[in-house]
Structure formats: structure tokens, C-alpha cells
Amino acid sequence: MVDQTADAPQEQVEHLTDSEATVRYLTEKFPDVVKADEREGFEGVVIDRDHLLEVAQVIRDELGYDYLSSATAVDYLGISDHLEMVYHAYRTTGGSALNFKAQTPRENAELPSLIDVWPGVDFQEREAWDLFGIRFDGHPNLKRILMWEGFHGHPMRKDWHEAYYEQDTKPYDSRWPGGDVLRTEELNVFGKNVSYPADIDLSRLNDESEDALYSGLGLGVDIQELDEGSELKTDRLVVNLGPHHPSTHGVFRMIVTLNGETVETLEPVMGYLHRNHEKIGERNTFLHNMPFTDRLDYICSMSNNHGYALAVEQLLSRGARYQPPTYRAEVIRVLMVELTRIVNHYWAIGFLLNDLGAFFTPALYLIAEREKILDFFEATAGSRMMCNYMRFGGVFKDIPERIHSVANLMNDQVRDFNTMQYLDELINERIPRSIEELDQYLTENEIIKARTQGVGYLPPEMAVAYSAAGPLLRASGVPYDVRRADPYSIYDELDFDVAVRYNGDIYDRYLLRIDEMRESARILQQILPRLERTMGEPIFAGNKQHTPRVPVGEAYGRVENPKGELGYYVVSEGDEKGPQNPWRYHVRAPSFINLTVLGQMCKGHKVADVVAILGSIDIVLGETDR
């Protein structure tokens, strides 16, 4: 029985602006149900699973945490032998997270679904079921989302091992410190990546994975085959867009039911690129994961690095030897991520125009401008896309004095520029000019307006409820930007506005990206004098040769990536003598979560509109599938 005697007056609830006061309120209101998380290095509250739904409604309706950003599963096998769901909820008016958790036994793992409170948990709960085997009671479509339906087991559980499993953590004993190189497959008893029981007849096996995909659509017909003699009716059809169609921006698939050419239902199908990035991340050391973050949203390597660095730095800050990043390192970080925002939006707008039928010309124009920024990235980090540039406590190295290249072939054009002059021209002239030209050529184009205005409408209430982030959220009239709502790095000292549009359609999502590039250019113009002023100052705190041991605890580092909120939830077991590997490494991928609302946005539109609506969300499959 839940004690309701501790109800606070509404005025008191409205003044609870910090997470500590919120935790105190919840533990007083639900003394037998909600407990403060008192584990070393952890925060927030642990809620009894039988009352999770009830408390979640209070968190949303009474305390104002209307935006559920992240839902993460953790397996504590060997520590306390339970599975745990970790939720991070925010107010769209701004502020830090409320971190709340629910625990379930590993055997027969089950929790109530929160989809009726925050519909944005839809894909995240499916992911937790798929990878951890947590069943969510009340979820209307609980099936695998990243693995195929015939996959055996739940691969993120600590006791799950693949066919060629060698060891839980890297560096593997067989290769370090001796430097031996081998293929695990050569020594593994399986010999091949599959094994079958003796009584299995492979010739009689039936793949049921497609049946499972279609089952949730409520079609009332057998999609796999028609009865002999039956006729194909063409008024209502099921059409698959992808996973190999170029308009799906990668190996992504949409199952669409059509009435004529009008979309009745649409279900995203992903996982074709899934490589269990997070399992790899838990076998790597903390530092080894930095280049792996490059491969998520591979357009936005620098920004991916930044979010992960912030998460691990939160853990490191609990240690006695921690030194925060230097001011110059923070300046360089903001320089890199704001240039990355412009890179991303160039790419997003160029390929949105491709989706609308304006093939090649706008995209190639914007790619040419993007290359100028990548020239600077290459000169600084050594790579144009997979930069692996940021480190815990700073950055890999300072920006070079000159942007210089050598000729490899006879007719190679050799770059040789003073870096600060190059950045000054890029930030004060070239980028602003390209944005204005883009606006001039595209914004009033009558075909673009006809194809995008009023199409793919996403109302603000639905955008918040479905955990939409980034341009998708702000173009629906919700001015929520992590850089302002929960500032990090040096954003609190920079002068910029949160770009917001109010019509919630494809056209406003395009306009918002134009607005954001202007604001990024404005930020970069404030960064330039700071770069000059801090010239020669250290770019790394402490001894960059040795990262301090990561203390025990949890951390959630989030950044406003170009596609929306990118978050890393990391847990350290903190063993002083054990390996320095994350116990849990989870990526809150905006491309993945933003797809949750795609079906709702496409209802009532035509087939051709689906392609444009998907393009306006701006996804990358490396981040979607991980």
C-alpha cells in the first residue's frame, strides 16, 4: 500500500528545481516504494517495480519532468545479480536530470512499460528486451528491434558469449603484453560460427522472422503467401521501402501499409547494421572506446568524442587526482563541435534536397563547402571523418600553426595556409556567405515549399512525449537545447540563441537548420578571439600520458549533437586492481530515438512524402543501429 499522506501542496512542488529536492520529495511521498540510491558513486532513486508506473506519473504530472530522454538496461550479474532499468527524465523548461531506476530479478525479468506515460520509451524498451531480455508488461509491440527474431539469447547479458568468445575484457591475455597476433576462430572449438543439435534437419527449417515483423501491424492477411487462386488486391497494399533503397539513407527499412498511395501505417525496421557497439565498448578499456565513438554518427565524429569525454570526466571527477580540462582545451572542443554542427547541416540539407528530387547540385555545392572544414580537421586530428581527437581531460593535440599537405602525385594541389588566418576567413567570410547563398537559392523555391510545407507535421506535445530531440524537437516549437537547458563546457559564457520554429513540418526543419548554422557561426566568431588569447596555454590537464583510474559509480554525459541529444551512460565497477573497462557503456542515440515518431508523422501522407519526411529527421544508420 502506497502512503499518500505526505502529499505536498502544489506550490511546494513547483519550487522543486533541483534533483536533490526532487529525490527528497519522492522518498517522503512514497516512503515504502521509493528509496534513495545509496550505492557509492550512484544518485537518484530506486523505485519498487510494482509501483513504477504510479510513481512515473507523479514524476511527469506533479514534478514536471515531461521529457524522458534515456532508458538504459544494466546487468549486474556477479555484483548484485539483478537487472536494472535506468531512466533520465528532464523538464523542457531546463535543468538537470532526475535519475530513477527499477530493478528486476534476472530470472523471469519483467517491469511495467512506461509507454503510456512517455511514449518515447517505445524503441528503448524494445531494445532492452532484445539485448537484455527484460519483458515490459503493457508494451503493445514488444519484439526484437536490433537483432533478428530468430536470434538465440540476449547478447548484452553478462553471461552471453558469442561463438568465438575469447575473454570478457581487453587487452586479451593471448595478445598482450607479448604482442601475439592470432585469429580466435583458429583455436575455438566451434570451428565455424554455427553449431546445430544432432536432431535438427536444416532442409526443413522455416524462417519466421518476417512473420514476426508483420504481426504487429494488424493487417488481417498473410503477407508471406497468398492462397492458390487468390487475386492481389491493389487498393490496400503492404510495401517495403528498403533496406537497400538509396532514399532510406542506409540499410534501413520501412514497412508501409497503403490505401492507394496514402500511408495508413508505417513501422521502421532497423538492425541490419547492428554490430553490438555497446558490448564491444564494455570489453574495451575506457580510453579504447574513444575511436569507436567516431563510428556512431560518422558525420559528427568530433561531437561524438565530446559527449563520451564528458561522461567519463564525470566519473573521474570523483577521484582525488582528477584535474578538469584546461580553458584552451574547452575552447578547442567548442570550436570543433560547432564546426561539426555546420558540417552535419550542410550534409543534411544537401541530401534532403536529393530526397525531394533536386539531385546532386545542392548536395555537391554543400559538400564542397564541407570539405573546407574537413581540411582543418585533417590538419589537426590527422583524419577527415574518424577524428579520435578528444581525450579525458583535454584534446589529443593543439591546432597546428599551419595547414600543410605534401604532393603525392605530379598534379596534386598542395595546401599551405596559416591556420588562424584560414579559420578567420572560414568563420567570418566563407561559412556565413555559403549559408546566405543557401538561403537565397532554396528557401523561396516554389517546388521546395510545395513539397515541404504542412508535410510531416509533428505537434509540440507529441514531439516532447516521443522524446524527439534536436532540430526535430525545436522545429515543433519546443526551444529545448542542451547547451542552454543544462549547460556544459563553456557554453554558459557564450552569446547565442536557441533556434526554434513553430510549424513542425519539413519546411521548418529545413529552416531551423539554416538558423542553427547562423548561430554556430556566431558562436565560432566568439571562439576565435579566445583561441588567440589562449595561444600557447596547455591543452591537457595533468599528465596526459596516464589517465587516472576511473572511480566506482555511474555517469550520464550528454551533448547537443547536430541530430539531437547524444548521451552516454557509463558505469564503473571501480576495482582498484581490476581492469579499467566500463561495466556498462550505453549510447542514447538521437538517430535511433527520433525514429520512434516516424510512423505518426507519415500517417495520411503519400509514398513520396515518406522519403522526404525521413530525410527531414536526418538519421545516420551507424548511430541508429550501433
Side-chain angles (χ1 to χ4, degrees):
M1 184 70 180
V2 178
D3 182 7
Q4 299 287 355
T5 61
D7 287 356
Q10 187 63 32
E11 312 86 67
Q12 179 182 347
V13 176
E14 291 174 354
H15 287 87
L16 292 172
T17 56
D18 65 279
S19 57
E20 289 183 357
T22 304
V23 168
R24 187 166 61 250
Y25 172 74
L26 287 173
T27 54
E28 291 174 357
K29 183 178 179 68
F30 302 102
D32 299 325
V33 171
V34 179
K35 305 294 182 185
D37 191 343
E38 297 178 346
R39 292 173 290 183
E40 182 184 355
F42 286 69
E43 59 185 23
V45 294
V46 179
I47 302 171
D48 180 83
R49 63 173 178 163
D50 294 331
H51 298 280
L52 177 61
L53 190 58
E54 178 184 3
V55 178
Q57 289 172 333
V58 169
I59 290 171
R60 184 194 66 183
D61 298 335
E62 293 186 28
L63 298 175
Y65 288 89
D66 53 344
Y67 186 78
L68 188 72
S69 167
S70 175
T72 307
V74 187
D75 183 0
Y76 282 101
L77 177 66
I79 296 179
S80 55
D81 293 346
H82 67 268
L83 295 173
E84 181 172 283
M85 282 298 294
V86 184
Y87 303 90
H88 289 84
Y90 295 87
R91 298 183 176 102
T92 49
T93 53
S96 58
L98 171 62
N99 181 347
F100 63 98
K101 297 136 183 171
Q103 299 174 348
T104 177
R106 297 183 83 254
E107 300 301 325
N108 193 28
E110 188 169 349
L111 291 170
S113 173
L114 297 186
I115 197 166
D116 291 333
V117 183
W118 292 288
V121 300
D122 183 356
F123 286 7
Q124 299 182 75
E125 287 183 347
R126 285 178 60 188
E127 179 184 8
W129 156 246
D130 190 359
L131 303 184
F132 286 84
I134 301 175
R135 186 170 294 279
F136 293 89
D137 184 40
H139 193 290
N141 191 26
L142 193 64
K143 59 189 179 187
R144 291 188 183 272
I145 190 168
L146 295 174
M147 311 303 297
W148 64 291
E149 286 294 328
F151 186 84
H152 177 67
H154 303 282
M156 283 301 298
R157 286 199 174 204
K158 293 295 184 182
D159 56 358
W160 185 91
H161 296 147
E162 70 277 15
Y164 293 122
Y165 168 79
E166 182 172 354
Q167 200 171 322
D168 274 340
T169 58
K170 298 177 183 176
Y172 293 153
D173 294 338
S174 62
R175 306 173 201 187
W176 183 88
D180 301 316
V181 178
L182 57 90
R183 289 177 60 85
T184 308
E185 294 90 332
E186 297 170 5
L187 305 179
N188 192 278
V189 295
F190 281 88
K192 294 187 180 294
N193 200 18
V194 290
S195 64
Y196 303 101
D199 58 345
I200 289 291
D201 182 356
L202 295 181
S203 65
R204 302 181 63 184
L205 289 182
N206 228 4
D207 180 10
E208 297 180 356
S209 58
E210 289 297 293
D211 291 328
L213 283 175
Y214 291 120
S215 64
L217 297 175
L219 303 173
V221 296
D222 185 351
I223 297 299
Q224 295 296 342
E225 57 182 70
L226 295 172
D227 293 334
E228 188 174 338
S230 62
E231 296 180 0
L232 180 66
K233 296 181 179 180
T234 58
D235 54 344
R236 293 190 72 247
L237 287 176
V238 178
V239 175
N240 280 281
L241 301 179
H244 300 300
H245 195 283
S247 70
T248 58
H249 295 250
V251 280
F252 178 69
R253 173 183 175 190
M254 295 172 282
I255 301 176
V256 187
T257 59
L258 299 175
N259 191 337
E261 288 195 24
T262 302
V263 175
E264 290 188 339
T265 65
L266 182 148
E267 180 169 338
V269 181
M270 59 204 74
Y272 297 96
L273 198 63
H274 179 66
R275 59 215 186 272
N276 215 341
H277 173 96
E278 295 174 9
K279 190 82 167 182
I280 296 170
E282 291 173 13
R283 288 186 178 168
N284 290 336
T285 66
F286 281 97
L287 186 58
H288 284 163
N289 276 333
M290 190 62 77
F292 283 80
T293 68
D294 293 336
R295 275 85 179 157
L296 292 165
D297 178 358
Y298 40 78
I299 308 299
C300 301
S301 163
M302 292 285 193
S303 303
N304 301 344
N305 287 180
H306 196 194
Y308 179 59
L310 291 179
V312 178
E313 284 167 0
Q314 284 182 38
L315 289 174
L316 289 171
S317 67
R318 302 188 181 114
R321 297 173 55 198
Y322 174 70
Q323 297 183 47
T326 64
Y327 188 77
R328 180 163 179 83
E330 296 284 20
V331 169
I332 294 174
R333 284 179 172 186
V334 173
L335 169 72
M336 296 305 189
V337 298
E338 292 305 322
L339 285 173
T340 298
R341 196 177 314 278
I342 293 171
V343 162
N344 180 88
H345 290 350
Y346 277 158
W347 193 266
I349 292 172
F351 281 91
L352 173 62
L353 268 293
N354 261 21
D355 292 335
L356 292 172
F359 293 122
F360 307 126
T361 301
L364 289 174
Y365 171 78
L366 292 167
I367 288 171
E369 294 301 315
R370 166 180 174 264
E371 291 299 302
K372 302 301 180 184
I373 298 175
L374 299 191
D375 286 346
F376 169 63
F377 286 174
E378 182 182 23
T380 304
S383 176
R384 304 178 74 79
M385 289 183 68
M386 310 301 173
C387 297
N388 185 24
Y389 181 64
M390 298 193 189
R391 298 291 184 270
F392 313 136
V395 294
F396 165 54
K397 65 176 183 178
D398 209 332
I399 62 175
E401 184 177 341
R402 300 191 70 81
I403 296 175
H404 181 72
S405 65
V406 297
N408 295 312
L409 301 174
M410 183 178 298
N411 294 321
D412 278 357
Q413 183 177 357
V414 178
R415 298 190 300 271
D416 190 10
F417 309 104
N418 178 284
T419 301
M420 290 306 297
Q421 290 177 1
Y422 184 88
L423 287 174
D424 181 73
E425 180 184 352
L426 184 69
I427 291 168
N428 288 313
E429 298 180 28
R430 190 168 191 108
I431 289 175
R433 183 171 64 246
S434 70
I435 297 170
E436 295 310 314
E437 288 177 349
L438 194 64
D439 190 8
Q440 178 183 352
Y441 290 140
L442 299 181
T443 301
E444 294 301 321
N445 183 285
E446 60 186 37
I447 299 175
I448 291 175
K449 294 174 80 171
R451 289 290 312 278
T452 60
Q453 288 184 334
V455 179
Y457 174 60
L458 179 62
E461 302 82 11
M462 183 181 290
V464 173
Y466 276 82
S467 304
L472 183 62
L473 177 66
R474 291 188 288 276
S476 290
V478 182
Y480 187 81
D481 185 311
V482 179
R483 295 172 296 175
R484 278 282 183 252
D486 192 12
Y488 54 93
S489 192
I490 59 170
Y491 280 108
D492 55 353
E493 68 179 59
L494 298 173
D495 181 26
F496 67 98
D497 296 320
V498 174
V500 61
R501 294 278 175 165
Y502 297 93
N503 293 317
D505 55 13
I506 297 175
Y507 190 65
D508 269 21
R509 291 192 274 278
Y510 152 76
L511 290 175
L512 187 121
R513 290 185 174 97
I514 296 283
D515 296 341
E516 284 199 353
M517 287 195 290
R518 290 191 173 112
E519 292 302 317
S520 288
R522 183 176 163 193
I523 290 171
L524 290 168
Q525 286 161 6
Q526 298 168 63
I527 289 295
L528 276 177
R530 287 170 168 81
L531 272 180
E532 293 276 10
R533 192 168 63 246
T534 59
M535 194 81 72
E537 293 183 7
I539 49 90
F540 207 97
N543 185 350
K544 70 176 181 178
Q545 301 301 321
H546 302 284
T547 301
R549 297 191 72 83
V550 179
V552 65
E554 65 175 352
Y556 182 64
R558 64 178 189 148
V559 292
E560 187 62 48
N561 247 34
K563 293 175 174 62
E565 178 185 328
L566 173 69
Y568 294 89
Y569 178 74
V570 288
V571 176
S572 169
E573 60 179 320
D575 186 348
E576 284 296 324
K577 298 180 180 179
Q580 279 288 278
N581 305 77
W583 181 263
R584 181 71 174 107
Y585 164 80
H586 173 69
V587 181
R588 188 258 187 228
S591 293
F592 176 69
I593 297 176
N594 282 348
L595 286 170
T596 311
V597 77
L598 176 63
Q600 297 291 329
M601 293 165 62
C602 291
K603 282 184 180 178
H605 290 296
K606 305 300 182 184
V607 176
D609 295 328
V610 169
V611 173
I613 293 168
L614 176 65
S616 74
I617 295 177
D618 182 23
I619 65 168
V620 158
L621 266 297
E623 179 180 82
T624 302
D625 285 0
R626 285 154 289 143

